[in-house]
Amino acid sequence: MTEPPVTGGTEAHTARFPTETPPAAASGHVTAGGGLPLLEDVPAWLTARITLRQRIGDHLLVVGEVESGAVAEDAPALVHHDGAFAAARRLPSQ
C-alpha cells in the first residue's frame, strides 16, 4: 500500500528533525511561557511535563503530561514510521 504524501505545509518542518540542528534554531520560533521555543507556522503544538523516564534495554522511554497546546489549522496528522513521514488519513467505513 502506498502511503499518502505529507501535506498541509509540514514538509519543511519535518525535513529538519533528522538533523543535528535543533528545530527552534533551524527556523522561526516564538517563545512560550517558561521560555520554551515553539516553531512558527506549524499546524499544532503542545508542551508537556515529564512524569517518567525509564530505561528499557538500550532505549529511554519518556512519558509526559500535556500542560498546554493548540491547533492552528485543520491539517492531517503527521506520522513517522519506518524512517519516513506520511500524513495520517481516516480509514474507510466498513
Side-chain angles (χ1 to χ4, degrees):
M1 180 165 88
T2 304
E3 292 292 328
V6 175
T7 60
T10 57
E11 297 91 342
H13 293 294
T14 60
R16 287 192 304 272
F17 288 107
T19 68
E20 295 296 320
T21 305
S27 72
H29 67 280
V30 295
T31 303
L36 296 172
L38 299 175
L39 292 174
E40 291 181 319
D41 302 323
V42 294
W45 61 269
L46 62 84
T47 64
R49 177 179 61 85
I50 295 174
T51 58
L52 173 72
R53 289 183 183 98
Q54 178 74 41
R55 284 235 173 257
I56 301 175
D58 62 349
H59 291 75
L60 178 63
L61 171 67
V62 179
V63 177
E65 179 181 346
V66 174
E67 293 184 328
S68 63
V71 176
E73 62 184 67
D74 186 24
L78 183 62
V79 178
H80 184 265
H81 175 68
D82 200 23
F85 288 97
R89 58 187 163 93
R90 291 193 181 274
L91 294 174
S93 298
Q94 298 269 340

